[in-house]
């Protein structure tokens, strides 16, 4: 096969890129190793930044989002004895939306702008440093296939082959592994809060998020290597109640049936550059952030908005300027979001170190009492303009 843009990976980055390119009249083919059902049902991020909502709306993907999503003015920051609301709209004029990545993915699959080839295997990228790059793969029927393209977009997440298609001598990686993971649950119970609660507690961080008026999403800091078998539902709810302050000032956490459980290790990772020859990386293929800042999905969207503009100028206008600047421009936002995610993670997660604990409390008191501190957090959480 031949296409203009070969996209590896049908997660939010790959599918949104194909949608934006299609709106510019540019053909693409998306190769995906999983099934359509699997990709459309994965449970991941839950928060869309102001700019992400604006971009999805402008791309014709905002109808269900605005009908079924929930706009939030801000978040609660909490530590034992204190709970403070940060109002992003008052502070920055920008809100955030609760609309699960699963729903974004469904909207993108429904838009299906490009041909998506699911259930592929042995995906390999070739000649990315030349002007005739191509991808080989095995299709669902076991047949060997080749896809020639003008450009390859590596949108294959943290475990795909695109990262390594950049020669080792041409790439630099940065990584930080955190000494804890998140145990996440989905529960069929109405949220016990109107907006997200980020709670610092000596026994560990807890987050109360949600997906809808009847589905809650909650997380607990646990040690790396935690075995879910050690965490029956009752133990999870008891620990969440303790860390979130159940019973304080009349607030109660209402438990309910747990429908999904997972443990997510936390790390920061960045690979530079995000472009090599005719290969462009976007989303988790280029960077990973700990989910404490709710940046993973939003960063993928920001990359793809920029990449869509760059490839449109290159392939329709013959103008390489934006493509040549893509990596530097995208990495400026990547490092801003990487820093913010690291800062939120180190401010809120128990490390057992008493010096850390005092620094955390000092930072929390500052961002909940100083307009400058609160605005800094709000600006980063609600998200800076994409372009
Ligand atoms: P994705 O990983 O979503 O998509 C990459 C796609 O490429 C996948 O469909 C994969 O199957 C495919 N692929 C991989 N190898 C391939 C190959 N060889 N050939 C073809 N296709 C291939 N972010 C938050 O903000 N909040 C959260 O709570 C949160 N929770 C997360 C939980 C988990 C378990 C994970 C892994 C991530 C989580 N994230 C969270 C981050 C997540 O939302 C990512 O930022 C987001 O999915 C990035 O989208 P993509 O870059 O499209 O990568
Ligand atoms: C979620 O709802 O899954 C979620 C929300 C905020 C975060 C991380 C995850 O920081």
């Amino acid at each position: 096969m031949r296409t203009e843009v070969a996209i590896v990976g049908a997660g939010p980055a790959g599918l949104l890129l194909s949608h934006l390119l299609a709106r510019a009249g540019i053909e693409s083919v998306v190769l995906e190793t999983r099934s359509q059902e699997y990709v459309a049902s994965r449970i991941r991020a839950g928060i869309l930044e102001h700019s992400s909502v604006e971009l999805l709306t402008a791309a014709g993907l905002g109808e269900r989002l605005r009908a079924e999503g929930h706009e939030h003015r801000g978040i609660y920051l909490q530590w034992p004895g204190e709970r403070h609301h940060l109002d992003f709209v008052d502070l920055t004029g920008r809100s955030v939306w609760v609309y699960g990545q699963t729903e974004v993915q469904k909207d993108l699959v429904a838009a299906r702008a490009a041909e998506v080839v699911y259930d592929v295997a042995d995906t390999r990228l070739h000649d990315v440093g030349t002007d005739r790059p191509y991808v080989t793969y095995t299709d669902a029927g076991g047949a060997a296939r080749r896809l020639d393209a003008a450009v390859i977009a590596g949108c294959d997440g943290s475990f795909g082959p695109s990262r390594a298609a950049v020669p080792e001598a041409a790439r630099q990686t940065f990584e930080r592994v955190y000494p804890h993971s998140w145990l996440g649950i989905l529960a069929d119970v109405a949220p016990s809060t109107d907006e997200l609660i980020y709670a610092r507690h000596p026994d560990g961080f807890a987050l109360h998020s949600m997906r809808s008026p009847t589905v809650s999403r909650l997380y607990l800091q646990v040690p790396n290597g935690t075995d879910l078998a050690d965490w029956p539902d009752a133990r999870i709810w008891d620990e969440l109640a303790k860390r979130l302050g159940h019973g304080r000032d009349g607030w109660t956490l209402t438990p309910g049936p747990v429908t999904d459980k997972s443990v997510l290790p936390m790390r920061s990772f960045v690979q530079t550059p995000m472009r090599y020859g005719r290969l462009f990386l976007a989303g988790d293929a280029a960077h990973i952030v700990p989910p404490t800042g709710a940046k993973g999905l939003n960063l993928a969207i920001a990359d793809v908005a920029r990449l869509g503009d760059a490839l449109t100028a290159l392939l329709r206008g013959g103008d390489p300027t934006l493509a040549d600047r893509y990596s530097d421009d995208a990495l400026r936002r990547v490092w801003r979001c990487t820093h913010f995610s690291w800062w939120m993670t180190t401010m809120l997660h128990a490390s057992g170190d008493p010096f850390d604990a005092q620094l955390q409390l000092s930072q929390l008191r500052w961002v909940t009492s100083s307009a400058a501190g609160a605005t800094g957090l709000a600006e980063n959480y609600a998200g800076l303009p994409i372009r």
Side-chain angles (χ1 to χ4, degrees):
M1 278 195 291
R2 178 160 189 84
T3 186
E4 291 186 274
V5 181
I7 299 173
V8 184
L15 289 184
L16 180 56
L17 178 61
S18 72
H19 181 80
L20 295 176
L21 291 173
R23 287 171 67 89
I26 296 174
E27 182 193 86
S28 62
V29 172
V30 184
L31 302 176
E32 168 56 51
T33 193
R34 297 284 191 160
S35 70
Q36 178 170 348
E37 295 67 33
Y38 180 90
V39 169
S41 61
R42 259 185 316 221
I43 298 162
R44 288 199 175 160
I47 298 295
L48 290 175
E49 288 178 359
H50 191 96
S51 298
S52 295
V53 174
E54 285 181 329
L55 182 126
L56 291 169
T57 302
L61 295 164
E63 186 181 344
R64 199 164 73 92
L65 190 171
R66 290 180 181 278
E68 298 178 20
H70 298 271
E71 188 170 17
H72 282 199
R73 294 183 62 90
I75 60 171
Y76 295 95
L77 286 176
Q78 170 174 318
W79 59 98
E82 307 231 7
R83 179 182 288 181
H84 298 267
H85 186 255
L86 290 192
D87 191 306
F88 301 155
V89 178
D90 285 347
L91 291 161
T92 69
R94 297 163 77 80
S95 62
V96 293
W97 283 69
V98 172
Y99 189 68
Q101 176 172 329
T102 311
E103 305 315 313
V104 174
Q105 192 75 19
K106 284 175 186 161
D107 295 341
L108 287 165
V109 168
R112 230 177 63 79
E115 179 176 352
V116 184
V117 183
Y118 290 99
D119 299 304
V120 305
D122 309 319
T123 317
R124 298 172 198 275
L125 288 71
H126 306 270
D127 296 350
V128 296
T130 75
D131 60 1
R132 303 172 68 83
Y134 64 98
V135 182
T136 56
Y137 62 95
T138 307
D139 69 15
R145 299 288 183 188
R146 170 171 165 150
L147 177 62
D148 288 85
V151 166
I152 298 175
C155 301
D156 44 1
S158 39
F159 305 107
S162 294
R163 269 182 204 169
V166 178
E168 199 153 354
R171 65 180 191 251
Q172 185 176 3
T173 59
F174 306 80
E175 185 162 21
R176 174 148 306 173
V177 178
Y178 298 88
H180 36 254
S181 300
W182 275 14
L183 188 161
I185 63 168
L186 210 54
D188 281 343
V189 62
S192 299
T193 176
D194 58 338
E195 295 191 336
L196 273 63
I197 303 171
Y198 286 77
R200 181 201 170 277
H201 188 279
D203 294 347
F205 168 76
L207 169 61
H208 191 330
S209 183
M210 68 278 294
R211 287 293 178 272
S212 74
T214 59
V215 178
S216 293
R217 177 73 164 151
L218 300 105
Y219 298 93
L220 279 174
Q221 172 188 341
V222 294
N224 286 334
T226 287
D227 182 349
L228 278 177
D230 298 334
W231 284 87
D233 296 0
R235 182 186 176 195
I236 293 173
W237 285 114
D238 288 346
E239 196 61 25
L240 283 166
K242 178 179 69 176
R243 297 184 190 181
L244 289 167
H246 172 81
R248 191 173 57 76
D249 296 339
W251 182 81
T252 58
L253 174 67
T254 306
V258 175
T259 57
D260 185 87
K261 253 186 232 182
S262 63
V263 175
L264 172 69
M266 301 178 82
R267 69 190 179 111
S268 297
F269 174 88
V270 180
Q271 177 168 309
T272 66
M274 289 173 59
R275 183 237 178 133
Y276 179 81
R278 289 298 181 97
L279 170 63
F280 294 79
L281 302 178
D284 278 15
H287 42 72
I288 301 290
V289 288
T292 328
K295 290 297 146 201
L297 171 59
N298 292 292
L299 207 36
I301 291 172
D303 285 349
V304 161
R306 193 178 305 282
L307 184 54
D309 290 350
L311 296 184
T312 301
L314 180 68
L315 299 173
R316 282 296 172 274
D319 178 356
T321 310
L322 290 179
D324 293 344
R325 287 180 42 184
Y326 166 71
S327 183
D328 287 346
D329 288 355
L331 282 168
R332 197 162 298 120
R333 189 184 192 94
V334 167
W335 281 112
R336 173 86 314 272
C337 292
T338 297
H339 172 268
F340 177 66
S341 303
W342 166 84
W343 177 59
M344 285 286 278
T345 301
T346 53
M347 180 167 66
L348 288 160
H349 288 71
S351 69
D353 177 323
F355 183 74
D356 285 350
Q358 292 307 319
L359 290 183
Q360 290 173 348
L361 291 170
S362 170
Q363 288 181 93
L364 286 166
R365 291 185 190 113
W366 175 59
V367 297
T368 53
S369 61
S370 148
T375 304
L377 191 152
E379 189 177 71
N380 281 279
Y381 193 105
L384 301 164
I386 286 181
R387 295 182 175 87

